[in-house]
Each structure stands twice: as C-alpha cells, then as structure tokens.
Amino acid sequence: SVPTIKTLAACQIMYPDHLEEMSRQAWLGLYSKDIDITDKENIMQFAEAAGISEVDELMKFSLGPEARQQLIDNTAEALETKCFGVPWFTVINPMTGRRE
C-alpha cells in the first residue's frame, strides 16, 4: 500500500480539501470492490473520483521528497497517539479543540 499512502500524503499537501474523498475512494476500492489499491491506474481513478483535476501532477509529486516527508510525519504522529490497527483516526474535539 506504499504507493497509495504516498499519493494520499501528496494529496494532503496539494489538495487537502480532496483528501477525505480520496481516502474514501481507496478504502472502497480495498474493502468493497476488492481491487488492487497499489496499482497506479487504480490510484489515479481514486484521485479522479475525488475531484482532483491534475492527477498526473499528483502522481509525480507523490514520488518526491515532500510527499515522503509528509508520510514520515503522519507516521510519527500516529505513533505518538499510540495507534493500534488500521485504519486509525484522530479527530479534533470541537468542544475542547483537543486532538483525540
């Protein structure tokens, strides 16, 4: 799943408003449609379904150092929250502003 999570990290940087939907598309691909979510063409379809117009640019960016660093940062944050299992979610409590 590394190509997929690197592309999601790139989406987080380039198209943060589309990250939730692209993540949803990848999740549906894996758990509902039983397709290979690491396949480049499938990843591109997830991005298109999420409304990303510059899919080729996203794919290129996902191979670069900024996307790699975002993935490293995301992994460090998950470990700091003592994540267990996948998927793992953290949310901001609107009442307190705290990440939970």
Side-chain angles (χ1 to χ4, degrees):
S1 67
V2 172
T4 307
I5 59 174
K6 284 179 77 175
T7 306
L8 288 169
C11 181
Q12 185 177 6
I13 295 167
M14 294 180 71
Y15 303 101
D17 293 342
H18 297 281
L19 178 60
E20 182 178 345
E21 185 57 32
M22 187 168 173
S23 298
R24 181 179 292 115
Q25 293 299 320
W27 187 90
L28 287 170
L30 179 63
Y31 293 108
S32 182
K33 299 175 185 173
D34 195 32
I35 62 174
D36 180 3
I37 66 165
T38 65
D39 179 76
K40 180 181 177 181
E41 295 301 317
N42 291 334
I43 296 170
M44 292 175 76
Q45 288 178 2
F46 303 150
E48 289 170 1
I52 296 171
S53 58
E54 299 292 332
V55 175
D56 290 332
E57 290 299 315
L58 176 67
M59 298 303 290
K60 183 178 176 182
F61 190 82
S62 74
L63 301 174
E66 290 178 70
R68 182 178 186 277
Q69 187 59 52
Q70 184 66 54
L71 178 56
I72 290 168
D73 294 346
N74 291 346
T75 302
E77 181 181 338
L79 293 173
E80 287 173 13
T81 63
K82 300 181 183 358
C83 71
F84 180 79
V86 174
W88 181 263
F89 301 95
T90 58
V91 296
I92 303 296
N93 182 329
M95 301 299 282
T96 64
R98 289 183 28 219
R99 183 177 297 263
E100 299 177 355

